Amino acid sequence: MMKIVIRNYWVVATFLLAFQWVTHGQMAEKASPVIENGEAQVVEAFSDPSKWIRHDLWVETTFDSDGDGELDRMHVDVTRPEQTDTENLKLPVIYESSPYYAGTAGMDKGIFWDVQHEIGEAGKPRKHPEVTRVGERPIISNSQIRTWVPRGFIVVHSSSPGTGLSDGAPTVGGDNESLAPKAVIDWLNGRAKGYTERDGNKEVKAYWSTGKVGMTGTSYNGTIPLAAATTGVEGLEAIIPIAPNTSYYHYYRSNGLVRSPGGYLGEDIDVLYDFIHSGDESKRARNNKVVRDTEMKNGLDRITGDYNDFWAKRDYLNDMKPMKAALLMSHGFNDWNVMPEHSYRIYKKAKEMGLPVRIYYHQNGHGGPPPLSMMNRWFTRYLYGIENGIEDEPKAWIVRENDKKDDPTPYADYPNPEAEYITLFLTKGAPSKGELTTLKAKKQGTETLVDNYSFSGTSLAKAETTEHRLLYVTSPLEDDVHISGVPKIKIKLASNKPAANLSVWLVSLPWSDALNTKITDNIITRGWADPQNHSSLTESKPLIPNKFYEMEFELMPDDQIIPKGQQIGLMIFSSDKEFTLWPEPGTKLTVDLDETELILPIVGGKL
C-alpha cells in the first residue's frame, strides 16, 4: 500500500494511508512519495543508492523472431527503493528500452553504402561488421535511475530483440520491436511471465509495481516508447519520446529520394541492423539471412527510393489507432539526423485522435529532453493520477533563439495558430541572386543550374555567383519575421537526364561565419525530393530529358524568428553533399520561374 504526501492543498484526490507498528507500541509512518506543486519530490528515504534493490530477469514475449521454436525472452533490469520489499510499497515505473545497451559496431567507413554513383544504380558492396557484446549483469543501463528513483518511481530497462542478452532478431521497426516492450509492460501488470534465467522456469513477479508505466528515451530509445504505445497495451499511461524516429522511410528517404540522415552519409536500414546486432552469436547467421539479406535486401530499394509495403510496416503513423498513452513530444528544429517532421507528424495525429498531447521544441540539434519539471509533471499526472492542472496548460512550448532550453515560451499550439501561409514568387537573377517577393512578376522564363556534389550547400549559399545553384532572396526584412509551421514549395522543372537529385534550402542571409554563430543564424530549414516521384511517392518514372514536370513537397517543420535586417533566401540545387547520392557532375536542372512558388507559414501573415 502507498501513501502520497501532498503539499499543495488545491489538489483534490483520495489516497490510501499505510502505517506499521514498531517497537514499544509506537506508530511509525512508512516512506512515501511526496508531491509538491504537482511534481514528485526527492524523498530522502529513497535516495541512498546503496539501499536500492537491483536485479534482472527475462520476460517472455508472444513471438519467436529468431526462429528457434521458442518464444523470445527479453532481458530486463529493475532498480527500486528498498521499501518496495521492507514496507510492501508499490510504485509506478519509468521504463526505457534500447538496442544500444549491450554495445554496437564500430563506425568503420566501410559499414556505410557508397554514395558516389549514378541515381538508379546500385552502390558498391559494403562491410558487415560483427558487434562485440558488452555489459555485466544485473545492470543493463544506469539511465533515468538517479533522476526518478529518489522521486518515488521504479526504473526498468530492457534490451530490444536481438541485442544484448535478449532473444530474437533486430528488425529495425518490425512488429517484434513493438511487442517486446508490450510484453515487459504486461509483465509489470501481471499479464506476462518473467523468469530469473534466460532458459529457466523459475518465475519472478513484479509485486512492487502499481502497473502504471511511463516510457521515455532519445532517438532509437525514443522510438520504442511510441512503438509500445501503438499496441494499445494497458498500463502504459504516458510516453515522452525525445527526437524519435517515427518512420524509417522518412529517416532514410525524402519524397522518393535516397537521402541519408545528417552525419551518417550512406547509412540505410540494413546498416543500422548491423550496427545494433549484439545478440546471441549463435543466432546471428540465421538472423542475417532472414532479416538483413532477405527482407531488408528485397524491401529497402536504394534504386528508386519509392515508398512500399516494407517501409509502410515501419511507419508508426500507420499503427496509431490503438494508442491511448498521453504523449509529450520533444525535438530540436535543427536536428538534421532525426528530422523534426518525425515528432510533428505523430503529435498532429495524436491531437486529431483526442489524446492528451504536448510538444516541446528547442532550436538545437539531435536530442534534448524537455525540462525536468515538465517531464515530472507529465509522469506525476498520469502515473500517480495527481490532478496537477497540466491539461489546462498550453499545448506547445518552444525555446526561443536566445533562451535556455529550460525556459521555453508557451504557445496555444504548434504551428502557431496565428500563422498564415503567404506565397512568395521568383524573379530571375542567375548565376547571382534573383528576388523572392509577394508580387508575381510576369514572364520570368527559366533558369538553369549545373549539378556538382563537390560543392557543399553551405558554400553554395555563401557564393556571390555560381552556376551550381539558383538563389532567390527577399529584400532586407523591415521587422522580425516569425515562421511557424511547415514551409512548402511548388516547383516546375526539367532535367537533361532521366534522374536527378533535388535539394532545397531556406536560408537567412547574409551568411554568418562569426565564431559565436548560433545554429539558427544561417539555415532556416531544408527539404529534398526525387523529381521521378513527381506524381506518386510509390512509383518512380524516369524523366523525359528536358521535359518539364510539376511537383509540390514540404520542407522540414520550423519555428524561428528571422531578425530584422536579414534576408530570407530560397536556394534550389541538385546534389546535397552531406545528404544525397553523388552522381557524376554535369546534370542540368532548369526551373520555370513563373510556375515555381515558396509557401511560408508566417505569424501575422505578413512578410
Side-chain angles (χ1 to χ4, degrees), residues 354-389:
L355 298 177
V357 290
R358 294 290 181 275
I359 196 159
Y360 165 86
Y361 278 122
H362 57 83
Q363 302 293 338
N364 294 324
H366 190 51
L372 177 58
S373 176
M374 186 178 292
M375 298 180 70
N376 192 330
R377 287 171 60 78
W378 200 254
F379 283 144
T380 297
R381 170 64 186 92
Y382 295 106
L383 304 190
Y384 274 118
I386 300 297
E387 299 285 348
N388 56 12

Side-chain angles (χ1 to χ4, degrees), residues 99-124:
Y100 299 138
Y101 290 145
T104 54
M107 279 295 186
D108 182 272
K109 186 176 180 181
I111 189 176
F112 298 107
W113 284 95
D114 173 48
V115 299
Q116 192 167 1
H117 60 81
E118 294 303 305
I119 299 169
E121 295 181 0
K124 299 175 184 177

Side-chain angles (χ1 to χ4, degrees), residues 30-76:
K30 291 183 177 181
S32 303
V34 174
I35 309 299
E36 184 174 353
N37 295 324
E39 297 182 30
Q41 303 296 305
V42 173
V43 176
E44 184 176 355
F46 301 152
S47 298
D48 185 351
S50 68
K51 295 182 179 180
W52 292 341
I53 299 170
R54 305 196 72 166
H55 56 98
D56 65 342
L57 64 138
W58 280 261
V59 169
E60 188 172 82
T61 70
T62 57
F63 55 82
D64 172 21
S65 61
D66 55 18
D68 64 357
E70 302 287 340
L71 293 176
D72 294 344
R73 293 183 179 183
M74 297 300 105
H75 188 210
V76 176

